[in-house]
């Protein structure tokens, strides 16, 4: 699978296993999703450019590196993507946050848009699209399409669990988009749920089922 980064870090693996557990309640689920998102953000930002600066330490002048002022926006796909935003913001606090509202029609499994609010300078920013689940890939593909229509060029996609079908669907339309997935699971079931997955991410985050 080209352009896909899967995480083998023990902390990420451990926490995703707890997230998957059906006995994990909403409070713990939310906390774990936020923590894993923060840990994943560490890797997603690995290619951020640096610039040299001179810092006066109490002892001497040190040649150091700081981030070169990259402009970033996070775009969670509502609603489940919201669960990952605060974790990523802990590492990239200056990022702006846009929202794309999509839900999957339970019959057709096609994404339906109901909300879109993006930073006004979104086309000048590098974007990280955030959603815990990449199942058929319909939602992520549509969200990325909206962003491209608004002139965004550099887009990464970050999810906790991806199905091979979802990765293939996104890359069929947007092959240049790097996908960062905590785990890649086996398959989708007949209802478009990831197997073994973690169930319905939005419902588990917000306690709606
Ligand atoms: C879930 C999930 C993704 C989408 C993935 O959202 O958070 O957005 O399904 O499925 P796909 O890859 O097949 O499009 P859902 O539509 O259940 O909405 P919710 O976040 O409001 O619960
Ligand atoms: N959306 C979810 O929340 N879970 C899945 O397994 C698939 C889509």
């Amino acid at each position: 699978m080209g352009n896909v980064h899967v995480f083998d870090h023990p902390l990420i693996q451990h926490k995703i296993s707890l997230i998957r557990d059906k006995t994990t309640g909403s409070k713990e689920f939310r906390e774990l999703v936020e923590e894993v998102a923060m840990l994943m953000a560490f890797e997603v930002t690995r290619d951020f450019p640096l610039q040299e600066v001179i810092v006066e330490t109490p002892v001497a002048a040190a040649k150091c590196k700081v981030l070169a002022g990259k402009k970033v926006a996070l775009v969670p796909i509502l609603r489940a993507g919201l669960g990952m935003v605060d974790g990523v913001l802990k590492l990239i606090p200056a990022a702006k946050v846009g929202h794309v509202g999509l839900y999957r029609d339970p019959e057709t499994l096609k994404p339906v848009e109901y909300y879109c609010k993006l930073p006004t300078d979104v086309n000048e920013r590098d974007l990280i699209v955030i959603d815990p689940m990449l199942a058929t890939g319909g939602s992520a593909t549509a969200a990325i399409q909206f962003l491209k229509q608004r002139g965004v060029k550099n887009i990464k996609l970050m999810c906790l669990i991806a199905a091979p079908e979802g990765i293939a669907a996104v890359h069929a339309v947007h092959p240049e988009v790097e996908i960062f997935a905590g785990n890649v699971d086996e398959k989708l079931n007949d209802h478009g749920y990831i197997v073994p997955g973690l169930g319905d991410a939005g419902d588990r985050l917000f306690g709606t089922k």
Side-chain angles (χ1 to χ4, degrees), residues 15-32:
K15 287 175 193 289
I16 291 179
S17 303
L18 298 176
I19 288 170
R20 287 180 186 276
D21 188 331
K22 66 179 181 187
T23 67
T24 298
S26 282
K27 176 179 179 292
E28 203 187 345
F29 188 91
R30 267 198 299 273
E31 290 166 356
L32 286 161

PDB file of all heavy atoms in Angstrom, residues 15-32:
ATOM      1  N   LYS A  15      -3.368   1.545  23.194  1.00  0.00           N
ATOM      2  CA  LYS A  15      -4.551   2.390  23.409  1.00  0.00           C
ATOM      3  C   LYS A  15      -5.656   2.069  22.392  1.00  0.00           C
ATOM      4  O   LYS A  15      -6.843   2.101  22.730  1.00  0.00           O
ATOM      5  CB  LYS A  15      -4.150   3.872  23.347  1.00  0.00           C
ATOM      6  CG  LYS A  15      -3.357   4.315  24.584  1.00  0.00           C
ATOM      7  CD  LYS A  15      -2.872   5.744  24.466  1.00  0.00           C
ATOM      8  CE  LYS A  15      -1.831   6.094  25.511  1.00  0.00           C
ATOM      9  NZ  LYS A  15      -2.398   6.189  26.864  1.00  0.00           N
ATOM     10  N   ILE A  16      -5.269   1.738  21.163  1.00  0.00           N
ATOM     11  CA  ILE A  16      -6.312   1.375  20.181  1.00  0.00           C
ATOM     12  C   ILE A  16      -6.999   0.074  20.605  1.00  0.00           C
ATOM     13  O   ILE A  16      -8.213  -0.090  20.431  1.00  0.00           O
ATOM     14  CB  ILE A  16      -5.736   1.290  18.750  1.00  0.00           C
ATOM     15  CG1 ILE A  16      -5.362   2.687  18.263  1.00  0.00           C
ATOM     16  CG2 ILE A  16      -6.742   0.659  17.783  1.00  0.00           C
ATOM     17  CD1 ILE A  16      -4.755   2.748  16.872  1.00  0.00           C
ATOM     18  N   SER A  17      -6.247  -0.833  21.214  1.00  0.00           N
ATOM     19  CA  SER A  17      -6.878  -2.082  21.690  1.00  0.00           C
ATOM     20  C   SER A  17      -7.924  -1.769  22.759  1.00  0.00           C
ATOM     21  O   SER A  17      -9.006  -2.377  22.768  1.00  0.00           O
ATOM     22  CB  SER A  17      -5.819  -3.029  22.276  1.00  0.00           C
ATOM     23  OG  SER A  17      -4.847  -3.291  21.307  1.00  0.00           O
ATOM     24  N   LEU A  18      -7.622  -0.823  23.644  1.00  0.00           N
ATOM     25  CA  LEU A  18      -8.600  -0.437  24.672  1.00  0.00           C
ATOM     26  C   LEU A  18      -9.813   0.244  24.032  1.00  0.00           C
ATOM     27  O   LEU A  18     -10.953   0.025  24.439  1.00  0.00           O
ATOM     28  CB  LEU A  18      -7.954   0.509  25.688  1.00  0.00           C
ATOM     29  CG  LEU A  18      -6.777  -0.058  26.498  1.00  0.00           C
ATOM     30  CD1 LEU A  18      -6.184   1.022  27.394  1.00  0.00           C
ATOM     31  CD2 LEU A  18      -7.229  -1.247  27.335  1.00  0.00           C
ATOM     32  N   ILE A  19      -9.552   1.063  23.026  1.00  0.00           N
ATOM     33  CA  ILE A  19     -10.651   1.762  22.328  1.00  0.00           C
ATOM     34  C   ILE A  19     -11.595   0.756  21.667  1.00  0.00           C
ATOM     35  O   ILE A  19     -12.819   0.916  21.662  1.00  0.00           O
ATOM     36  CB  ILE A  19     -10.064   2.727  21.266  1.00  0.00           C
ATOM     37  CG1 ILE A  19      -9.407   3.931  21.944  1.00  0.00           C
ATOM     38  CG2 ILE A  19     -11.115   3.181  20.276  1.00  0.00           C
ATOM     39  CD1 ILE A  19      -8.595   4.814  21.002  1.00  0.00           C
ATOM     40  N   ARG A  20     -11.014  -0.318  21.110  1.00  0.00           N
ATOM     41  CA  ARG A  20     -11.839  -1.309  20.412  1.00  0.00           C
ATOM     42  C   ARG A  20     -12.766  -2.077  21.354  1.00  0.00           C
ATOM     43  O   ARG A  20     -13.848  -2.512  20.952  1.00  0.00           O
ATOM     44  CB  ARG A  20     -10.927  -2.347  19.742  1.00  0.00           C
ATOM     45  CG  ARG A  20     -10.177  -1.871  18.525  1.00  0.00           C
ATOM     46  CD  ARG A  20      -9.351  -3.038  18.049  1.00  0.00           C
ATOM     47  NE  ARG A  20      -8.447  -2.777  16.966  1.00  0.00           N
ATOM     48  CZ  ARG A  20      -8.770  -2.791  15.675  1.00  0.00           C
ATOM     49  NH1 ARG A  20     -10.011  -3.039  15.319  1.00  0.00           N
ATOM     50  NH2 ARG A  20      -7.856  -2.578  14.762  1.00  0.00           N
ATOM     51  N   ASP A  21     -12.328  -2.240  22.593  1.00  0.00           N
ATOM     52  CA  ASP A  21     -13.038  -3.097  23.558  1.00  0.00           C
ATOM     53  C   ASP A  21     -14.470  -2.589  23.764  1.00  0.00           C
ATOM     54  O   ASP A  21     -14.673  -1.424  24.122  1.00  0.00           O
ATOM     55  CB  ASP A  21     -12.252  -3.069  24.881  1.00  0.00           C
ATOM     56  CG  ASP A  21     -12.779  -4.071  25.880  1.00  0.00           C
ATOM     57  OD1 ASP A  21     -13.995  -4.396  25.849  1.00  0.00           O
ATOM     58  OD2 ASP A  21     -11.980  -4.528  26.708  1.00  0.00           O
ATOM     59  N   LYS A  22     -15.447  -3.479  23.555  1.00  0.00           N
ATOM     60  CA  LYS A  22     -16.845  -3.036  23.651  1.00  0.00           C
ATOM     61  C   LYS A  22     -17.244  -2.644  25.067  1.00  0.00           C
ATOM     62  O   LYS A  22     -18.259  -1.983  25.265  1.00  0.00           O
ATOM     63  CB  LYS A  22     -17.797  -4.096  23.101  1.00  0.00           C
ATOM     64  CG  LYS A  22     -17.841  -5.381  23.884  1.00  0.00           C
ATOM     65  CD  LYS A  22     -18.839  -6.323  23.238  1.00  0.00           C
ATOM     66  CE  LYS A  22     -18.919  -7.612  24.036  1.00  0.00           C
ATOM     67  NZ  LYS A  22     -19.741  -8.608  23.374  1.00  0.00           N
ATOM     68  N   THR A  23     -16.440  -3.053  26.073  1.00  0.00           N
ATOM     69  CA  THR A  23     -16.797  -2.678  27.446  1.00  0.00           C
ATOM     70  C   THR A  23     -16.219  -1.306  27.833  1.00  0.00           C
ATOM     71  O   THR A  23     -16.467  -0.823  28.927  1.00  0.00           O
ATOM     72  CB  THR A  23     -16.306  -3.734  28.467  1.00  0.00           C
ATOM     73  OG1 THR A  23     -14.869  -3.715  28.499  1.00  0.00           O
ATOM     74  CG2 THR A  23     -16.813  -5.122  28.141  1.00  0.00           C
ATOM     75  N   THR A  24     -15.451  -0.681  26.943  1.00  0.00           N
ATOM     76  CA  THR A  24     -14.924   0.663  27.224  1.00  0.00           C
ATOM     77  C   THR A  24     -16.055   1.677  27.081  1.00  0.00           C
ATOM     78  O   THR A  24     -16.673   1.776  26.017  1.00  0.00           O
ATOM     79  CB  THR A  24     -13.762   0.995  26.256  1.00  0.00           C
ATOM     80  OG1 THR A  24     -12.718   0.045  26.476  1.00  0.00           O
ATOM     81  CG2 THR A  24     -13.230   2.398  26.474  1.00  0.00           C
ATOM     82  N   GLY A  25     -16.328   2.418  28.133  1.00  0.00           N
ATOM     83  CA  GLY A  25     -17.433   3.387  28.117  1.00  0.00           C
ATOM     84  C   GLY A  25     -17.031   4.691  27.442  1.00  0.00           C
ATOM     85  O   GLY A  25     -15.859   4.914  27.119  1.00  0.00           O
ATOM     86  N   SER A  26     -18.029   5.582  27.273  1.00  0.00           N
ATOM     87  CA  SER A  26     -17.812   6.812  26.494  1.00  0.00           C
ATOM     88  C   SER A  26     -16.708   7.698  27.063  1.00  0.00           C
ATOM     89  O   SER A  26     -15.911   8.260  26.313  1.00  0.00           O
ATOM     90  CB  SER A  26     -19.095   7.637  26.427  1.00  0.00           C
ATOM     91  OG  SER A  26     -19.943   7.083  25.483  1.00  0.00           O
ATOM     92  N   LYS A  27     -16.659   7.822  28.394  1.00  0.00           N
ATOM     93  CA  LYS A  27     -15.664   8.731  28.989  1.00  0.00           C
ATOM     94  C   LYS A  27     -14.256   8.261  28.644  1.00  0.00           C
ATOM     95  O   LYS A  27     -13.431   9.027  28.136  1.00  0.00           O
ATOM     96  CB  LYS A  27     -15.869   8.790  30.507  1.00  0.00           C
ATOM     97  CG  LYS A  27     -14.835   9.628  31.222  1.00  0.00           C
ATOM     98  CD  LYS A  27     -15.101   9.668  32.718  1.00  0.00           C
ATOM     99  CE  LYS A  27     -14.052  10.479  33.456  1.00  0.00           C
ATOM    100  NZ  LYS A  27     -12.731   9.845  33.446  1.00  0.00           N
ATOM    101  N   GLU A  28     -14.016   6.973  28.891  1.00  0.00           N
ATOM    102  CA  GLU A  28     -12.686   6.436  28.628  1.00  0.00           C
ATOM    103  C   GLU A  28     -12.397   6.421  27.126  1.00  0.00           C
ATOM    104  O   GLU A  28     -11.282   6.688  26.670  1.00  0.00           O
ATOM    105  CB  GLU A  28     -12.589   5.023  29.218  1.00  0.00           C
ATOM    106  CG  GLU A  28     -11.162   4.601  29.493  1.00  0.00           C
ATOM    107  CD  GLU A  28     -11.072   3.134  29.921  1.00  0.00           C
ATOM    108  OE1 GLU A  28     -12.119   2.545  30.280  1.00  0.00           O
ATOM    109  OE2 GLU A  28      -9.957   2.593  29.858  1.00  0.00           O
ATOM    110  N   PHE A  29     -13.430   6.101  26.345  1.00  0.00           N
ATOM    111  CA  PHE A  29     -13.287   6.064  24.880  1.00  0.00           C
ATOM    112  C   PHE A  29     -12.826   7.427  24.370  1.00  0.00           C
ATOM    113  O   PHE A  29     -11.867   7.538  23.614  1.00  0.00           O
ATOM    114  CB  PHE A  29     -14.649   5.685  24.272  1.00  0.00           C
ATOM    115  CG  PHE A  29     -14.627   5.411  22.801  1.00  0.00           C
ATOM    116  CD1 PHE A  29     -14.423   4.128  22.308  1.00  0.00           C
ATOM    117  CD2 PHE A  29     -14.836   6.439  21.883  1.00  0.00           C
ATOM    118  CE1 PHE A  29     -14.418   3.879  20.939  1.00  0.00           C
ATOM    119  CE2 PHE A  29     -14.835   6.198  20.524  1.00  0.00           C
ATOM    120  CZ  PHE A  29     -14.626   4.913  20.054  1.00  0.00           C
ATOM    121  N   ARG A  30     -13.510   8.480  24.842  1.00  0.00           N
ATOM    122  CA  ARG A  30     -13.147   9.853  24.422  1.00  0.00           C
ATOM    123  C   ARG A  30     -11.711  10.185  24.799  1.00  0.00           C
ATOM    124  O   ARG A  30     -10.963  10.749  24.014  1.00  0.00           O
ATOM    125  CB  ARG A  30     -14.064  10.867  25.101  1.00  0.00           C
ATOM    126  CG  ARG A  30     -15.276  11.244  24.319  1.00  0.00           C
ATOM    127  CD  ARG A  30     -15.889  12.542  24.832  1.00  0.00           C
ATOM    128  NE  ARG A  30     -16.317  12.464  26.212  1.00  0.00           N
ATOM    129  CZ  ARG A  30     -17.506  12.025  26.597  1.00  0.00           C
ATOM    130  NH1 ARG A  30     -18.385  11.624  25.713  1.00  0.00           N
ATOM    131  NH2 ARG A  30     -17.821  11.994  27.871  1.00  0.00           N
ATOM    132  N   GLU A  31     -11.349   9.844  26.036  1.00  0.00           N
ATOM    133  CA  GLU A  31      -9.989  10.176  26.503  1.00  0.00           C
ATOM    134  C   GLU A  31      -8.940   9.448  25.664  1.00  0.00           C
ATOM    135  O   GLU A  31      -7.922  10.013  25.275  1.00  0.00           O
ATOM    136  CB  GLU A  31      -9.837   9.783  27.984  1.00  0.00           C
ATOM    137  CG  GLU A  31     -10.635  10.663  28.919  1.00  0.00           C
ATOM    138  CD  GLU A  31     -10.760  10.097  30.333  1.00  0.00           C
ATOM    139  OE1 GLU A  31     -10.278   8.969  30.588  1.00  0.00           O
ATOM    140  OE2 GLU A  31     -11.365  10.781  31.172  1.00  0.00           O
ATOM    141  N   LEU A  32      -9.221   8.173  25.379  1.00  0.00           N
ATOM    142  CA  LEU A  32      -8.251   7.386  24.618  1.00  0.00           C
ATOM    143  C   LEU A  32      -8.142   7.868  23.170  1.00  0.00           C
ATOM    144  O   LEU A  32      -7.041   7.936  22.608  1.00  0.00           O
ATOM    145  CB  LEU A  32      -8.662   5.906  24.646  1.00  0.00           C
ATOM    146  CG  LEU A  32      -8.426   5.193  25.976  1.00  0.00           C
ATOM    147  CD1 LEU A  32      -9.255   3.922  26.054  1.00  0.00           C
ATOM    148  CD2 LEU A  32      -6.946   4.882  26.163  1.00  0.00           C
TER     149      LEU A  32
END
